[in-house]
Amino acid sequence: MIGSLFVTGPAGTGKSTFCGALKEWLITNEYDAAVVNLDPGSEYIPYEAEVDIRETISLSQIMSEYNLGPNGAQIVAADLLLDNLEPVSGVLRELDDYYVIFDTPGQMELFTYRPGAPLLVEKLSGHRSMLAFISDAVLSVSPSGYISQKMLYASVMSRFFRPMIYVLNKADLVTEEDIQRISSWEESPEILSDALMDEKAPMMKDFFISVLKSFKEADLISKIVPVSARDFSGLEDVYSDMSVFFTGGSDTDTMYRDD
Ligand SMILES: Nc1nc2c(ncn2[C@@H]2O[C@H](COP(=O)(O)OP(=O)(O)OP(=O)(O)O)[C@@H](O)[C@H]2O)c(=O)[nH]1
Ligand SMILES: [Mg+2]
């Protein structure tokens, strides 16, 4: 494979829709792309998966075999997957020139925070891997909503230590002014902390100011990429970041290639 993108983020932010949209965008622009579904709990996936973990791992079977609820079963499923990666890696070996997109379980703690997850990323694609953190634009219009998603992003980063793209999905549900305001928060921790103090009483003010400053100083999120997975907007910018990482940016002129 050229590279893999592990798509993570809070429940319902549009991870699966994003995986399907990015695959379609890549194929439309004449790249080879495949999606692997790593969520054994998904009822419906809005894309055709090259590998679907539900074919080898059944949550309902695990629940009855181990007397577990759905969350406990997801944890066992993740461990079973790690023990037997061949059904996935066997297919990946055939996908030489592909971008491979991995859809991950809805509840972040069942994938992102499990000890096996960084190992899984390492085993499946090693240094050829990056992550996309899918945040929800609607939740991001309030300073507190935006900050809470930034903190989740930081927690994902602290698990994987891989390059990450911060996707602001569902951009179609907010206004252009909202997106500009969120971008200005990203550029300046002072503007964001002032907006937070306006929204909430200045409780724990010093805490938030120092958190936001340290995010900025560490360049934790260098930019946000507004996307609508529903309308296919912003996907070229996602690809552009992938291309910079995987090919050194030698292939960013996606729309204008003549080969
Ligand atoms: N308007 C709008 N809706 C979206 C967008 N992306 C996803 N959705 C909707 O958001 C809902 C959740 O989308 P999913 O793709 O299932 O989200 P998910 O993060 O994979 O959900 P879980 O795996 O259950 O955590 C669905 O109703 C999607 O149609 C978007 O860009 N715009
Ligand atoms: Mg999903």
Side-chain angles (χ1 to χ4, degrees):
M1 72 174 90
I2 299 174
S4 66
L5 184 72
F6 286 81
V7 176
T8 180
T13 52
K15 296 179 293 297
S16 302
T17 311
F18 172 84
C19 290
L22 183 61
K23 176 184 174 181
E24 240 179 279
W25 185 91
L26 286 165
I27 290 172
T28 305
N29 286 281
E30 298 181 6
Y31 295 98
D32 291 325
V35 183
V36 175
N37 175 34
L38 292 181
D39 183 0
S42 52
E43 300 243 319
Y44 163 77
I45 47 173
Y47 49 78
E48 200 180 314
E50 267 65 20
V51 189
D52 188 342
I53 205 60
R54 295 175 302 176
E55 285 168 15
T56 45
I57 292 177
S58 155
L59 269 194
S60 54
Q61 208 174 324
I62 294 173
M63 282 164 71
S64 58
E65 201 171 309
Y66 295 82
N67 286 329
L68 291 169
N71 290 343
Q74 280 263 15
I75 289 170
V76 172
D79 292 344
L80 289 176
L81 174 63
L82 198 62
D83 280 349
N84 180 20
L85 279 177
E86 190 46 34
V88 182
S89 35
V91 176
L92 294 185
R93 279 196 290 277
E94 305 296 314
L95 302 176
D96 260 0
D97 290 328
Y98 277 66
Y99 285 104
V100 182
I101 305 157
F102 290 86
D103 192 7
T104 67
Q107 286 157 292
M108 281 172 73
E109 63 271 37
L110 300 178
F111 174 76
T112 306
Y113 302 136
R114 298 297 304 161
L119 205 57
L120 180 112
V121 171
E122 183 59 36
K123 280 189 172 179
L124 287 178
S125 50
H127 66 283
R128 290 186 171 275
S129 53
M130 64 190 302
L131 281 89
F133 178 86
I134 311 298
S135 71
D136 188 321
V138 178
L139 301 180
S140 305
V141 293
S142 70
S144 59
Y146 180 64
I147 290 171
S148 58
Q149 292 189 81
K150 257 172 97 92
M151 287 179 160
L152 283 176
Y153 174 96
S155 73
V156 177
M157 172 65 91
S158 66
R159 295 287 302 142
F160 291 93
F161 288 100
R162 300 293 316 158
M164 282 175 67
I165 306 173
Y166 191 103
V167 173
L168 188 73
N169 190 37
K170 306 191 187 179
D172 57 285
L173 296 179
V174 300
T175 64
E176 188 53 43
E177 290 74 46
D178 288 329
I179 291 177
Q180 276 168 13
R181 195 169 56 252
I182 296 165
S183 301
S184 76
W185 291 342
E186 197 41 59
E187 276 152 31
S188 160
E190 288 78 21
I191 297 177
L192 179 52
S193 57
D194 285 351
L196 179 69
M197 296 313 134
D198 286 346
E199 181 197 351
K200 307 272 180 200
M203 244 170 59
M204 299 177 71
K205 181 177 177 189
D206 293 343
F207 167 74
F208 281 110
I209 288 178
S210 56
V211 165
L212 294 174
K213 273 197 181 142
S214 60
F215 279 179
K216 184 71 184 169
E217 276 161 21
D219 213 6
L220 190 78
I221 302 172
S222 50
K223 68 169 180 183
I224 54 172
V225 184
V227 163
S228 168
R230 191 195 69 179
D231 297 348
F232 289 76
S233 68
L235 296 169
E236 185 172 6
D237 296 328
V238 173
Y239 173 71
S240 164
D241 281 0
M242 291 167 67
S243 163
V244 167
F245 179 65
F246 292 126
T247 71
S250 59
D251 198 16
T252 47
D253 53 341
T254 56
M255 309 307 268
Y256 310 106
R257 292 183 322 155
D258 53 13
D259 58 326

